[in-house]
Amino acid sequence: MKHMTLSEIADACCGIYCGDPAFLDCEVSSVAIDSRKVVKDTLFVAIKGARVDGHNFIPQVMEAGALCSLSEQDLGDVDYPYIRVSSCTEALKDLAEHYRRSLDIKVVGITGSVGKTSTKEMIASVLSEKYNVLKTEGNFNNEIGLPLTVFNIREEHEVAVLEMGISHFGDMKPLAKIARPDVCVITNIGYAHLENLGTRDGILKEKSSMTDYMNPKGSVIFNGDDDKLKSYTSRDGRTPVYFGLTASCPFHVENIERKGLKGTYAEFVTPTSRFHAHISIPGDHMIYNALAGVAVGYALGMDNEEIARGIEKLVPIAGRNNLIEAKHYTIIDDCYNANPASMKSSLDVLAYADTRKVAILGDMGELGADELAMHREVGAYAAFKNTDVLVCIGALSKDMAEAAKETVLATEKNMKVFHFDTKEDFYQNMGQILKENDTILVKASHFMEFPEIVKKLSEEA
């Protein structure tokens, strides 16, 4: 990170410096909340979590080489410097906002109900063909993760691609104040977090507030096929640029050639040009991701050749439509998280397989009062997509299985449907359910811990 002195840090987070004044002009090398990631001259932020209180590690990290700690507690007469703050979490955000303002860098902010991470990966892959890019790693997209990502920006970086995740009203404002995006991308307005945000209109209101803190001369890039986004009217009169499969969108595709699990070829149409590219990861949702990448690339001055190379270099990451050729099965590992829209997109991908198609699906969380109806919707959809075997795991997924069975009876489909309360129950029966050379989709919300299933399928002797 760029240099920040302890004096500057104390001012930025309204803290009280405690310790030898000689250290006030010393500069920190990094910021960490994990004691295991402390290196020489790190600023350690003592976050108090549900299970672990970072304050307990302050003596340890100072001995390990940290320059200073942020603390909510009076540490008394200690022989190392610390900065006393009222809230370490708020101080972390204040400090990240201050640090972001010191950076001469373009920031792309990405939010949406579905596909934030895969869109972030695509946009970063595209921009990397011209710029030195930093991107959000893993799920560091909330009030703790975003500041830590911002602190990783170095002077050599030219663009930061930041994923911004919210689940409650008021979550976006502090993230947007930190990121100060030059380009705002919204992938869609779906049903994730309805439990907290009430309606899709509530989701739209919260996610679109990202634009309140963007560069006034920046670009707003929305999915034009989303009914909520295409009718969006900004409070400041800013007109979004739209991408989508619909020809009315300035950025769209034509002449789509779907190559099953080997991806998609398409002709990309921009307001001023056309070019062809191959998307290696299958599914129409990946076409949307690529279009978002094209629109962002144009906003940041890239040409068609650079953008096409970036699209074609994208490789899947674990848990995100990652195709695994295991000894006995082809596994579509898409188990990082789930909601109704992403479940349907993944079933669309499974439908491309030319072998027996098996979907192992689990519970979806944070769907609010309509959660059972939404699970039933996914079960019926699996039947309509001609899935051969549907395995539902979890309490909520019982309704998914029941709806699938009802659809099979009503439509005379041949899909076999199973329900298990736990993963362990499924493991005891999987030998009778799965067959050699099956293509298997694995997907559920994160709390279901379905990577365990992917590992078991991959390692099966």
Side-chain angles (χ1 to χ4, degrees), residues 114 167 170 197 204 209 288 305 324 328 350 364 373 380 412 422 452:
V114 182
S167 56
L197 296 171
L204 173 64
S209 66
Y288 280 104
E305 290 185 4
I324 301 171
H328 298 289
L350 177 64
M364 301 175 285
E412 297 183 353
T422 67
E452 177 186 311

PDB file of all heavy atoms in Angstrom, residues 114 167 170 197 204 209 288 305 324 328 350 364 373 380 412 422 452:
ATOM      1  N   VAL A 114     -27.257 -11.527  -8.634  1.00  0.00           N
ATOM      2  CA  VAL A 114     -26.654 -12.768  -9.126  1.00  0.00           C
ATOM      3  C   VAL A 114     -25.461 -12.419  -9.991  1.00  0.00           C
ATOM      4  O   VAL A 114     -25.498 -11.448 -10.751  1.00  0.00           O
ATOM      5  CB  VAL A 114     -27.668 -13.588  -9.971  1.00  0.00           C
ATOM      6  CG1 VAL A 114     -27.055 -14.891 -10.437  1.00  0.00           C
ATOM      7  CG2 VAL A 114     -28.941 -13.856  -9.182  1.00  0.00           C
ATOM      8  N   SER A 167     -26.739  -6.858   2.012  1.00  0.00           N
ATOM      9  CA  SER A 167     -27.863  -7.711   2.389  1.00  0.00           C
ATOM     10  C   SER A 167     -28.921  -6.967   3.179  1.00  0.00           C
ATOM     11  O   SER A 167     -30.005  -7.498   3.400  1.00  0.00           O
ATOM     12  CB  SER A 167     -27.371  -8.918   3.192  1.00  0.00           C
ATOM     13  OG  SER A 167     -26.642  -8.513   4.327  1.00  0.00           O
ATOM     14  N   GLY A 170     -28.982   0.237   3.886  1.00  0.00           N
ATOM     15  CA  GLY A 170     -27.895   0.997   4.483  1.00  0.00           C
ATOM     16  C   GLY A 170     -26.528   0.385   4.288  1.00  0.00           C
ATOM     17  O   GLY A 170     -25.516   1.023   4.605  1.00  0.00           O
ATOM     18  N   LEU A 197     -34.553  -7.121   2.549  1.00  0.00           N
ATOM     19  CA  LEU A 197     -34.839  -5.949   1.714  1.00  0.00           C
ATOM     20  C   LEU A 197     -36.280  -5.906   1.215  1.00  0.00           C
ATOM     21  O   LEU A 197     -36.671  -4.949   0.544  1.00  0.00           O
ATOM     22  CB  LEU A 197     -33.862  -5.910   0.532  1.00  0.00           C
ATOM     23  CG  LEU A 197     -32.390  -5.719   0.951  1.00  0.00           C
ATOM     24  CD1 LEU A 197     -31.463  -5.904  -0.240  1.00  0.00           C
ATOM     25  CD2 LEU A 197     -32.181  -4.353   1.574  1.00  0.00           C
ATOM     26  N   LEU A 204     -33.372  -2.886  -5.658  1.00  0.00           N
ATOM     27  CA  LEU A 204     -32.933  -1.896  -6.646  1.00  0.00           C
ATOM     28  C   LEU A 204     -32.517  -0.599  -5.969  1.00  0.00           C
ATOM     29  O   LEU A 204     -31.464  -0.019  -6.284  1.00  0.00           O
ATOM     30  CB  LEU A 204     -34.053  -1.627  -7.648  1.00  0.00           C
ATOM     31  CG  LEU A 204     -33.809  -0.486  -8.648  1.00  0.00           C
ATOM     32  CD1 LEU A 204     -32.629  -0.810  -9.553  1.00  0.00           C
ATOM     33  CD2 LEU A 204     -35.065  -0.221  -9.474  1.00  0.00           C
ATOM     34  N   SER A 209     -27.887   2.759  -5.093  1.00  0.00           N
ATOM     35  CA  SER A 209     -27.303   3.867  -4.323  1.00  0.00           C
ATOM     36  C   SER A 209     -25.779   3.879  -4.434  1.00  0.00           C
ATOM     37  O   SER A 209     -25.145   4.839  -4.000  1.00  0.00           O
ATOM     38  CB  SER A 209     -27.739   3.797  -2.859  1.00  0.00           C
ATOM     39  OG  SER A 209     -27.220   2.655  -2.213  1.00  0.00           O
ATOM     40  N   TYR A 288     -23.791 -12.582 -20.724  1.00  0.00           N
ATOM     41  CA  TYR A 288     -24.054 -11.307 -20.038  1.00  0.00           C
ATOM     42  C   TYR A 288     -22.784 -10.772 -19.384  1.00  0.00           C
ATOM     43  O   TYR A 288     -22.476  -9.577 -19.454  1.00  0.00           O
ATOM     44  CB  TYR A 288     -25.142 -11.484 -18.976  1.00  0.00           C
ATOM     45  CG  TYR A 288     -26.538 -11.491 -19.517  1.00  0.00           C
ATOM     46  CD1 TYR A 288     -27.255 -12.682 -19.642  1.00  0.00           C
ATOM     47  CD2 TYR A 288     -27.167 -10.309 -19.911  1.00  0.00           C
ATOM     48  CE1 TYR A 288     -28.553 -12.699 -20.139  1.00  0.00           C
ATOM     49  CE2 TYR A 288     -28.467 -10.313 -20.417  1.00  0.00           C
ATOM     50  CZ  TYR A 288     -29.142 -11.509 -20.525  1.00  0.00           C
ATOM     51  OH  TYR A 288     -30.431 -11.512 -21.034  1.00  0.00           O
ATOM     52  N   GLU A 305      -9.718  -5.769 -30.124  1.00  0.00           N
ATOM     53  CA  GLU A 305      -8.760  -6.873 -30.008  1.00  0.00           C
ATOM     54  C   GLU A 305      -8.387  -7.120 -28.557  1.00  0.00           C
ATOM     55  O   GLU A 305      -8.294  -8.277 -28.115  1.00  0.00           O
ATOM     56  CB  GLU A 305      -7.514  -6.577 -30.844  1.00  0.00           C
ATOM     57  CG  GLU A 305      -7.747  -6.622 -32.350  1.00  0.00           C
ATOM     58  CD  GLU A 305      -6.454  -6.440 -33.130  1.00  0.00           C
ATOM     59  OE1 GLU A 305      -5.383  -6.361 -32.498  1.00  0.00           O
ATOM     60  OE2 GLU A 305      -6.535  -6.403 -34.365  1.00  0.00           O
ATOM     61  N   ILE A 324     -14.991 -29.784 -13.842  1.00  0.00           N
ATOM     62  CA  ILE A 324     -13.966 -30.709 -13.339  1.00  0.00           C
ATOM     63  C   ILE A 324     -14.146 -32.060 -14.016  1.00  0.00           C
ATOM     64  O   ILE A 324     -15.208 -32.687 -13.910  1.00  0.00           O
ATOM     65  CB  ILE A 324     -14.082 -30.875 -11.812  1.00  0.00           C
ATOM     66  CG1 ILE A 324     -13.930 -29.520 -11.096  1.00  0.00           C
ATOM     67  CG2 ILE A 324     -13.050 -31.868 -11.289  1.00  0.00           C
ATOM     68  CD1 ILE A 324     -14.240 -29.574  -9.619  1.00  0.00           C
ATOM     69  N   HIS A 328     -14.570 -40.531 -12.617  1.00  0.00           N
ATOM     70  CA  HIS A 328     -15.814 -41.195 -12.995  1.00  0.00           C
ATOM     71  C   HIS A 328     -16.889 -40.247 -13.522  1.00  0.00           C
ATOM     72  O   HIS A 328     -17.838 -40.687 -14.163  1.00  0.00           O
ATOM     73  CB  HIS A 328     -16.376 -41.952 -11.789  1.00  0.00           C
ATOM     74  CG  HIS A 328     -15.478 -43.024 -11.277  1.00  0.00           C
ATOM     75  ND1 HIS A 328     -15.245 -44.203 -11.949  1.00  0.00           N
ATOM     76  CD2 HIS A 328     -14.720 -43.072 -10.143  1.00  0.00           C
ATOM     77  CE1 HIS A 328     -14.406 -44.957 -11.260  1.00  0.00           C
ATOM     78  NE2 HIS A 328     -14.059 -44.292 -10.165  1.00  0.00           N
ATOM     79  N   LEU A 350     -26.196 -27.270 -17.251  1.00  0.00           N
ATOM     80  CA  LEU A 350     -26.238 -28.732 -17.185  1.00  0.00           C
ATOM     81  C   LEU A 350     -26.934 -29.321 -18.404  1.00  0.00           C
ATOM     82  O   LEU A 350     -26.548 -30.383 -18.911  1.00  0.00           O
ATOM     83  CB  LEU A 350     -26.948 -29.164 -15.900  1.00  0.00           C
ATOM     84  CG  LEU A 350     -27.148 -30.666 -15.692  1.00  0.00           C
ATOM     85  CD1 LEU A 350     -25.790 -31.372 -15.567  1.00  0.00           C
ATOM     86  CD2 LEU A 350     -28.007 -30.936 -14.460  1.00  0.00           C
ATOM     87  N   MET A 364     -31.482 -22.917  -0.428  1.00  0.00           N
ATOM     88  CA  MET A 364     -31.131 -21.526  -0.729  1.00  0.00           C
ATOM     89  C   MET A 364     -31.549 -20.662   0.457  1.00  0.00           C
ATOM     90  O   MET A 364     -32.664 -20.791   0.955  1.00  0.00           O
ATOM     91  CB  MET A 364     -31.836 -21.048  -2.002  1.00  0.00           C
ATOM     92  CG  MET A 364     -31.519 -21.862  -3.244  1.00  0.00           C
ATOM     93  SD  MET A 364     -32.493 -21.325  -4.681  1.00  0.00           S
ATOM     94  CE  MET A 364     -34.120 -21.992  -4.299  1.00  0.00           C
ATOM     95  N   ALA A 373     -41.932 -21.428  -1.899  1.00  0.00           N
ATOM     96  CA  ALA A 373     -42.406 -21.313  -3.285  1.00  0.00           C
ATOM     97  C   ALA A 373     -41.227 -21.228  -4.254  1.00  0.00           C
ATOM     98  O   ALA A 373     -41.277 -21.791  -5.354  1.00  0.00           O
ATOM     99  CB  ALA A 373     -43.301 -20.089  -3.431  1.00  0.00           C
ATOM    100  N   ALA A 380     -39.433 -27.569 -10.214  1.00  0.00           N
ATOM    101  CA  ALA A 380     -40.196 -27.694 -11.459  1.00  0.00           C
ATOM    102  C   ALA A 380     -39.321 -27.369 -12.662  1.00  0.00           C
ATOM    103  O   ALA A 380     -39.403 -28.034 -13.710  1.00  0.00           O
ATOM    104  CB  ALA A 380     -41.410 -26.768 -11.415  1.00  0.00           C
ATOM    105  N   GLU A 412     -45.178 -36.185 -17.650  1.00  0.00           N
ATOM    106  CA  GLU A 412     -44.668 -37.499 -18.059  1.00  0.00           C
ATOM    107  C   GLU A 412     -43.178 -37.451 -18.392  1.00  0.00           C
ATOM    108  O   GLU A 412     -42.703 -38.131 -19.304  1.00  0.00           O
ATOM    109  CB  GLU A 412     -45.468 -38.046 -19.245  1.00  0.00           C
ATOM    110  CG  GLU A 412     -46.936 -38.275 -18.903  1.00  0.00           C
ATOM    111  CD  GLU A 412     -47.720 -38.882 -20.057  1.00  0.00           C
ATOM    112  OE1 GLU A 412     -47.155 -39.002 -21.167  1.00  0.00           O
ATOM    113  OE2 GLU A 412     -48.885 -39.236 -19.842  1.00  0.00           O
ATOM    114  N   THR A 422     -29.676 -34.709   4.874  1.00  0.00           N
ATOM    115  CA  THR A 422     -28.288 -34.283   5.076  1.00  0.00           C
ATOM    116  C   THR A 422     -27.385 -34.814   3.971  1.00  0.00           C
ATOM    117  O   THR A 422     -27.746 -35.751   3.244  1.00  0.00           O
ATOM    118  CB  THR A 422     -27.745 -34.796   6.422  1.00  0.00           C
ATOM    119  OG1 THR A 422     -27.646 -36.229   6.371  1.00  0.00           O
ATOM    120  CG2 THR A 422     -28.654 -34.376   7.577  1.00  0.00           C
ATOM    121  N   GLU A 452     -17.834 -29.822  -0.090  1.00  0.00           N
ATOM    122  CA  GLU A 452     -17.545 -31.158   0.443  1.00  0.00           C
ATOM    123  C   GLU A 452     -18.023 -32.239  -0.521  1.00  0.00           C
ATOM    124  O   GLU A 452     -17.363 -33.269  -0.709  1.00  0.00           O
ATOM    125  CB  GLU A 452     -18.246 -31.305   1.801  1.00  0.00           C
ATOM    126  CG  GLU A 452     -18.096 -32.652   2.451  1.00  0.00           C
ATOM    127  CD  GLU A 452     -18.945 -32.765   3.709  1.00  0.00           C
ATOM    128  OE1 GLU A 452     -18.874 -31.845   4.552  1.00  0.00           O
ATOM    129  OE2 GLU A 452     -19.686 -33.768   3.837  1.00  0.00           O
TER     130      GLU A 452
END
